[in-house]
Structures are given as structure tokens and as C-alpha cells.
Amino acid sequence: MVALSNQRCLVILILFTSIFINPIYTTFALSSLQAETIKIGVDREAAPMEFEEQGQPMGFNIDIFDQVSASWETQNQYLFMEWPDVLESVSNGSLDAMFAINTEERREVYDFSDPFLNISWRIFIREEQPKLNSITDLENHTVAVIKNFAADQYLQSLSFHFHIVEVEDTEEGLSLLSKGEVYAYFGNYHLGLYYVQQEEFNNIIPTGEEMAKQEMCIAVKKGNSVLLSKINLGLQLLFESGNYTQLYNSWFGGDVLPEINPTIIQITSIVIGGLFVVLILLAVWNFTLTKKIEEKTEDLKKTNRLLMRQDKIESIGVLAGGIAHDFNNFLTSILGNISLAKLEIGEENKDLFEILQEAENASINAKDLTQQLLTFSKGGKPIKKVINIAPIIQHSSVFALHGTDISLSLDIAEDIWPASVDEGQITQVINNIVINAKQAMEKGGKIKITAQNKEEPVISQTLSPKKKYIEIKIQDQGIGIPEKNIPKIFDPYFTTKPTGNGLGLSICYNIIKNHNGEILVQSAQMKGTTFTIYLPASDKPIENLKNTEGKLIQGCGKVIVMDDQRGIRTLLKLMLTKLGFEVETSIDGEDAIQRFEQSKLESSGLPILILDITIPGGMGGIETLKILKKTNPKIKAIISSGYSNIAVMSDYKKYGFLGVLPKPFSLMELSNLLKEILE
């Protein structure tokens, strides 16, 4: 009984810590940034974005970050480095930030701020030449481009015929254009504007549309949510204050316009005179229009407030992801210790066992909540398994309608293809949409759900016509959605319900997007709404799902646990010891490697590794396994983390791991995973 009391005290202590200490820790983390030096990697030869002048950092990017961080009371240290070194230094944490284009590949390693500039290509011509509408207007003309740059490769790839003159840099290309030696220059739009302004090529103007836009952002190490939130807030203030426009014009000067000839001035004067007379006549109607103008102004104010909330969603999302990670670490200790306590007392003490069971159920519900936070943060990468989605559709829809007077019609193809999905996330999507449908039918009605195979979905440009998809339709007989609201239903915070928060459909959209799928809506007022979901089908066989119930594994051999949290190391040691394993713990990758090599000398078998992904200030799980695999290719390793929005958690086999252990986890989940690994 003494051991049991100690166990219960430990559970209560952890609950107290999660409720009271965590806010203090979060407040400290936010305030501590004010005393630090922010290190930013820059390129000394990337004018006008960033460059070195008389030993000092200069450029548009530098001015942007100085403005963004003006209120932080920090020291900004700009370090000149080669671009590959900048990328590596931000990823390993020796640099805090860099300026980079946001790409899908880079999002696997870095977190990106809101964009502050669209990088694009554009055509430059002399002002006396005819204006051009598109790249095809350059056919059979002489065009200057920077040798081997993207613009050069783009022109080379087109089927049109151009006379291409390759130059070394933008300045040389514009110089040839200014002298009339080429018909046009095609290259970076903002770089061109900068040189036109600096070198005073007054006879050159941009023409046509911007092409191949890419977002320039501020990038930080994956998981640095505190710094990223401050950067996004600083960018928002910069845009709202009008200072961004001043910075932009000081470096790029805006579009260079041709000189207006006298004839145009005369025509314009006549038009302005006519408009003045019309304005006098319209003033007569001012009294009757005033009320309508006031109503419209109020509508615009409401729209502006909504847009401001939507602009903040990215920062809130990053913060939500960080909170979810910390909360998962606390839940790991709570849920794990409850599992051990249940094992200790057994079912003989029925009353106490039921209390622990209720606490365990509450912890599992809290685990689902953190997953929703991660999904809302546009992270929450799905941990996929190839499964039959028919049971998910059936169980989640029946559960959502339990106790209502709404009938449900299910029509799911018997030969429905397998899909590689995160079961919990797809359950959440079906549940959210069915609940929305239920709320739209206050007087009852019928919800019809169909699921079928689709060879070539052509209704959306985002879906590949060469892939197979599963089409899920959820149709209700509710009041419908007003046509003006349909484009906004997936926006964060948008809701027409007095008690709604506007997050349900936004979360659904993010989940389906993270599954490389599509979600669409059709609606007519008083006739109902249909949501259509497309999920990529899988050509792999359905995986055998492990039971969450059953006997605990009776293990043997050694397990090495690496985690930076002492409480989690202690918990895993207790759990694994209960399962029959010999356990060693380490705080970082270097220590884990030493313990592994020492264990090889002492025993004939290789120990199993359970590695945390990120170790602040030390070697994490991915790098640790990579080093050990060089000399121990048959090593068995499990990756673990409170983050599910990291690529390795959803594609762990690609990184050499045999299993994944998302935090929090119970003793039974740990046992089932080890059983699967050993078999």
C-alpha cells in the first residue's frame, strides 16, 4: 500500500506540474528571447536583398529584419557565410534565422514565416518599344538572360524560337538592352528594378505579367515556435504601419513608368473636366446614398476584422504546435504512470482500479486534443497506415449521430481500394462534417454517405489524373450554405453559428491537404449541402492492425532509451523493466552511442534503441541512428517524439527506424510496439 500511495502521489504531482508549472515555463520562454542575440546568416553578394558594403550588412532583407525586431530589445548579429553553410547552421541551431524561399523540400527541415516578398521573373524592354503581354511575344526576338540561371533554362525549355544572348549578371543584361543591342531582358523582377534605379537606365521599363512567383520568407530551425511567432507578429505590424511600403520603394522604387506625351495630357484634361461635371450632378444624390454608404462601411469594417484574424492564424498555429508538444511530454508521464499503477494494483481492488481507468480515459481524450492542436497548426503530419477506410466511415458517422432523430444511409463499395491514412485524423474529418450536417438539420432528416473508387477525377486541377482516388460524399438535407459564404467555409474562425469557433472545417481542410487529397463543397439554400473528399488510393496491401488489448510482452535483452526529459527516461525505464528488459538511459546521442558500443562488447546481442527526435543542444535520434547504422546495419530502433508534424514520424522506415512511438503512450502500446519489432 505504501508503494501504491507513492505511485498515486507521483500521478498527482505530475498533474499539478502540467497545470501550474507549464504556464510559468511558457511565460519564461517568451520573455527570455528579449535578452538574447539573434544570429542571422546572410550572403555578402546577393544585392539588393543582402550584401556587404564596407564591411557592413546591407540590403532589403536586412532592413526588413531590423524593422521586424525593432521592439524586441535584442542584438541582431548578421554573419556573412556561404549559402550551403547558412542552410546547415540554421538546421543545427547555431544560427537563429535566415532569408530563404519557401519550398516543400525546405519545409521538412525549417519553419517559415509569413512571406514578405514574392520573387518572380519579368520582361524588361526600352520604353519606346511596343508593350508585351506574355513571354510568347518575344518569339524570334533577341533576349538577354543570365547564363545557366532559372530564366535561361526556362526559355530553353519552351518550344518557341528565341535568339538568346547569355550574360554574366543583371547589370550586363540591362546595359545591352539600354544600348539597343538586344530586344529585351528576361530575369528577376526585383533585381531588375534595383539596377534600373541604381544605374539610372531611364529608358528601361518592365512589361507583361510577373511569372513563376515564389515566396521569400524568414526561416528558423524546425520547432523554434517562440522566435517564429515573434517574427510573424513583427511582419504583421510592419505591413500595417506602412513602413514596409517605404522600405520597398527605397530599394526597388516601384515600376518605372514611361514619360507621358502632351497629347495624352490634353485628352486626360478633357476627361477630368467631364468627370468634374458628373461629380457635381452626383452630389445631388448624396443625401439618399448616405445611409447605404454607412451600411457598406460597416460591412467593410467587419470584413477587415475577419481578415486581421485570418492573418494571425499562422502565428497562432505555430504557438499551438509548441503547446501541443510540451503538453504531450506531460501527458506521457501521466498516462504512463497510470498504466504502471493499474498493473501494480490489478483488478482485485475494483474501486481504485476504476478510478485509474477513468484517469487513463481522460488522458487519452487529452491526447486526442493535442492531435487537434497539431492539425490546427498546419503541422500534424499524418502517421499513416494502409487500411480499409470503410469501417472508419461507418463507425465515426454512426457515433456522431447517436441519439439523434436523423437517419443515416451508407453506400460503400464492397471493393473499395485501400488507402494510406492516419486513422485518427480521417475519423476526425468524417466526425466534424457529419456533426455540421446534423446541426444544419434541426428538424431531422437524412444524411447519405457514399464511398467509391475513382480512376480519373477531373473535377479539380490539384488532383493528378494519373492516380487512383477514393471519393467520399457526405450529403445532408439541411438549410444549405449561402452562396456568398461558400468560398470562406474553410477559413479559420469563419462561422455563422452563435456558439461556433470556426475551426472544424479548417481542421478538416488541413488534414485532407496533408493526405495529398482534396475537399470540395456544393450547396443550395433549403436544399442541402454535399461535401466531397478525395483521398489517394494505395496499391499496397492492408496492414494488420495490432490489438490494443491483450497480454503484455515478456521481453528479454537490453533497451537503450535516449530522451532529454529526465521524467520520461525514468518512466520508460520502469515500463521496460516491468516488461522484462534490462534498461540503460542516456541524455543525448553521443552518450547513447557510447552505451551501445559498450553493450556490444558485454553481450552477443544488439540492444534495441528508443530515441527521441530532438535533443536541445545535443545529437538527436535521426543523426544518432545514422552513425550507428554505418557499423551496425541490423540495429533495431524506435523513434519517439511529442511532435507529429515532423517528417520522420510519418515516414520512419525511410530513416531506418522499425517503429514509431508517438508521445504520450501507455504501457500496452509500448508492449505491442516492442512485440511487433521483435517478431
Side-chain angles (χ1 to χ4, degrees):
M1 290 300 293
V2 174
L4 179 59
S5 298
N6 290 340
Q7 190 65 265
R8 296 183 67 183
C9 288
L10 177 60
V11 173
I12 293 171
L13 179 60
I14 293 169
L15 286 168
F16 175 83
T17 303
S18 67
I19 295 171
F20 296 100
I21 304 301
N22 192 29
I24 298 172
Y25 154 74
T26 304
T27 303
F28 173 77
L30 288 170
S31 61
S32 64
L33 186 61
Q34 295 184 344
E36 296 179 0
T37 296
I38 306 299
K39 297 180 181 179
I40 308 100
V42 294
D43 190 336
R44 56 166 42 91
E45 295 180 353
M49 309 307 295
E50 50 194 65
F51 58 95
E52 181 182 16
E53 185 172 287
Q54 297 180 352
Q56 297 298 316
M58 300 287 289
F60 179 68
N61 291 348
I62 308 300
D63 288 351
I64 286 288
F65 200 89
D66 285 344
Q67 288 279 342
V68 165
S69 60
S71 62
W72 296 358
E73 300 180 3
T74 57
Q75 295 291 327
N76 295 337
Q77 183 179 5
Y78 297 99
L79 302 174
F80 293 113
M81 304 172 68
E82 297 296 326
W83 181 240
D85 295 332
V86 172
L87 292 170
E88 174 65 23
S89 298
V90 174
S91 67
N92 64 29
S94 56
L95 285 179
D96 297 301
M98 65 180 176
F99 306 98
I101 291 175
N102 188 343
T103 65
E104 182 176 358
E105 181 180 358
R106 288 176 179 172
R107 286 195 293 272
E108 299 287 340
V109 185
Y110 312 98
D111 285 332
F112 286 85
S113 72
D114 297 330
F116 63 85
L117 186 68
N118 283 327
I119 302 297
S120 59
W121 303 334
R122 201 161 178 187
I123 303 169
F124 289 83
I125 60 173
R126 295 183 300 280
E127 62 179 358
E128 68 270 13
Q129 295 174 220
K131 304 301 180 291
L132 307 178
N133 295 318
S134 69
I135 197 71
T136 58
D137 293 337
L138 292 176
E139 188 172 13
N140 297 322
H141 287 295
T142 303
V143 186
V145 292
I146 298 178
K147 183 179 181 181
N148 294 329
F149 269 42
D152 185 11
Q153 297 168 358
Y154 176 71
L155 288 186
Q156 300 277 9
S157 69
L158 297 178
S159 58
F160 304 102
H161 181 259
F162 307 101
H163 300 290
I164 296 176
V165 176
E166 294 181 329
V167 296
E168 293 299 323
D169 52 38
T170 301
E171 184 178 4
E172 181 183 352
L174 292 176
S175 178
L176 294 178
L177 175 60
S178 178
K179 297 173 184 177
E181 297 181 19
V182 294
Y183 185 80
Y185 169 74
F186 181 56
N188 184 291
Y189 173 43
H190 292 91
L191 198 56
L193 284 182
Y194 171 75
Y195 277 104
V196 165
Q197 179 178 252
Q198 295 297 315
E199 302 298 331
E200 297 182 353
F201 295 131
N202 294 328
N203 63 333
I204 295 177
I205 59 171
T207 186
E209 297 181 350
E210 295 181 57
M211 289 169 275
K213 291 184 180 179
Q214 294 179 297
E215 294 179 342
M216 175 66 76
C217 306
I218 300 171
V220 301
K221 181 182 179 181
K222 198 79 174 175
N224 192 349
S225 57
V226 174
L227 178 57
L228 190 65
S229 297
K230 293 177 73 69
I231 290 172
N232 279 332
L233 181 59
L235 285 171
Q236 181 181 340
L237 294 174
L238 178 62
F239 283 110
E240 291 177 353
S241 67
N243 291 339
Y244 177 85
T245 302
Q246 296 178 10
L247 284 179
Y248 182 93
N249 290 337
S250 69
W251 283 101
F252 306 115
D255 284 343
V256 182
L257 300 177
E259 185 178 342
I260 304 176
N261 62 48
T263 302
I264 294 178
I265 294 176
Q266 293 175 3
I267 295 173
T268 304
S269 299
I270 296 173
V271 173
I272 291 174
L275 287 174
F276 182 73
V277 175
V278 173
L279 287 173
I280 293 176
L281 295 175
L282 288 175
V284 178
W285 299 96
N286 182 67
F287 180 77
T288 57
L289 292 176
T290 299
K291 188 175 181 180
K292 292 184 178 180
I293 292 174
E294 290 176 350
E295 292 174 353
K296 187 64 177 177
T297 301
E298 185 61 30
D299 289 341
L300 290 173
K301 288 181 179 179
K302 291 179 180 178
T303 302
N304 186 54
R305 287 194 293 268
L306 178 61
L307 289 173
M308 289 180 65
R309 286 198 298 177
Q310 292 174 2
D311 286 340
K312 296 175 182 177
I313 190 62
E314 195 70 32
S315 297
I316 297 173
V318 171
L319 183 60
I323 292 172
H325 171 259
D326 292 343
F327 195 44
N328 274 338
N329 278 334
F330 289 117
L331 278 178
T332 300
S333 295
I334 295 171
L335 184 58
N337 281 294
I338 290 174
S339 297
L340 288 171
K342 286 175 62 182
L343 186 65
E344 286 290 333
I345 67 169
E347 298 188 21
E348 291 79 9
N349 191 332
K350 185 177 179 181
D351 292 339
L352 189 54
F353 189 87
E354 288 180 354
I355 292 173
L356 290 172
Q357 185 65 54
E358 287 297 322
E360 186 176 48
N361 292 338
S363 299
I364 292 171
N365 290 335
K367 175 183 177 181
D368 294 337
L369 175 61
T370 59
Q371 181 57 45
Q372 291 186 43
L373 281 171
L374 285 169
T375 303
F376 174 62
S377 73
K378 296 186 180 179
K381 285 187 176 294
I383 301 176
K384 299 178 182 178
K385 290 186 177 180
V386 180
I387 61 172
N388 179 3
I389 66 168
I392 295 179
I393 298 172
Q394 181 178 0
H395 295 159
S396 56
S397 57
V398 170
F399 179 80
L401 295 177
H402 180 71
T404 70
D405 58 354
I406 296 173
S407 64
L408 175 64
S409 171
L410 290 171
D411 183 10
I412 303 174
E414 293 183 1
D415 62 342
I416 198 77
W417 290 323
S420 179
V421 299
D422 184 311
E423 183 176 357
Q425 290 190 6
I426 298 302
T427 297
Q428 186 179 351
V429 170
I430 302 298
N431 189 65
N432 283 356
I433 295 176
V434 172
I435 289 175
N436 270 12
K438 177 180 68 175
Q439 294 172 346
M441 296 189 294
E442 295 182 352
K443 298 181 180 180
K446 181 178 181 180
I447 294 177
K448 182 178 180 181
I449 301 179
T450 63
Q452 58 182 328
N453 302 325
K454 277 285 183 179
E455 289 275 3
E456 298 180 356
V458 294
I459 44 72
S460 174
Q461 294 180 350
T462 62
L463 299 181
S464 171
K466 298 180 181 180
K467 289 185 177 180
K468 296 180 179 180
Y469 289 86
I470 299 170
E471 178 190 78
I472 305 170
K473 285 183 177 287
I474 304 175
Q475 182 178 6
D476 66 51
Q477 298 174 339
I479 59 176
I481 305 170
E483 185 176 355
K484 66 178 182 179
N485 289 341
I486 289 179
K488 299 179 285 187
I489 63 169
F490 296 119
D491 291 346
Y493 296 128
F494 178 78
T495 182
T496 58
K497 303 171 189 174
T499 58
N501 57 30
L503 297 180
L505 290 178
S506 175
I507 289 174
C508 292
Y509 177 85
N510 286 332
I511 289 174
I512 299 302
K513 183 179 178 182
N514 284 339
H515 280 77
N516 299 317
E518 179 74 281
I519 181 169
L520 307 169
V521 62
Q522 291 179 312
S523 186
Q525 285 193 273
M526 308 315 296
K527 292 184 179 180
T529 301
T530 300
F531 282 88
T532 305
I533 299 169
Y534 290 93
L535 291 172
S538 175
D539 55 1
K540 297 180 181 178
I542 293 175
E543 298 181 26
N544 293 323
L545 300 180
K546 302 296 178 182
N547 292 327
T548 57
E549 302 296 334
K551 294 183 178 179
L552 296 173
I553 187 175
Q554 294 299 315
C556 62
K558 180 177 288 188
V559 178
I560 297 176
V561 175
M562 183 192 79
D563 199 292
D564 64 299
Q565 298 287 328
R566 184 173 63 85
I568 294 177
R569 293 197 304 271
T570 303
L571 173 66
L572 274 169
K573 186 171 184 178
L574 287 170
M575 284 182 158
L576 291 165
T577 301
K578 285 289 184 184
L579 295 176
F581 293 96
E582 180 185 350
V583 186
E584 288 191 26
T585 62
S586 59
I587 60 174
D588 57 30
E590 291 85 353
D591 185 38
I593 291 171
Q594 290 180 6
R595 292 179 183 274
F596 182 88
E597 297 297 339
Q598 182 64 33
S599 178
K600 282 173 55 181
L601 298 175
E602 298 173 353
S603 173
S604 58
L606 295 179
I608 298 173
L609 295 175
I610 300 179
L611 305 175
D612 193 8
I613 291 180
T614 55
I615 302 293
M619 184 188 300
I622 297 175
E623 188 177 354
T624 300
L625 182 61
K626 186 177 180 181
I627 292 173
L628 288 173
K629 278 270 188 182
K630 292 179 180 178
T631 54
N632 306 277
K634 294 184 178 181
I635 191 172
K636 294 180 178 180
I638 297 169
I639 193 71
S640 180
S641 179
Y643 278 118
S644 67
N645 57 345
I646 301 178
V648 64
M649 295 294 286
S650 58
D651 196 11
Y652 57 89
K653 291 182 180 178
K654 175 182 175 182
Y655 294 84
F657 293 94
L658 295 183
V660 59
L661 187 65
K663 299 175 184 175
F665 49 84
S666 66
L667 181 61
M668 183 60 71
E669 288 171 329
L670 176 61
S671 173
N672 286 338
L673 178 59
L674 287 168
K675 187 184 300 182
E676 181 180 349
I677 295 297
L678 292 173
E679 291 176 354

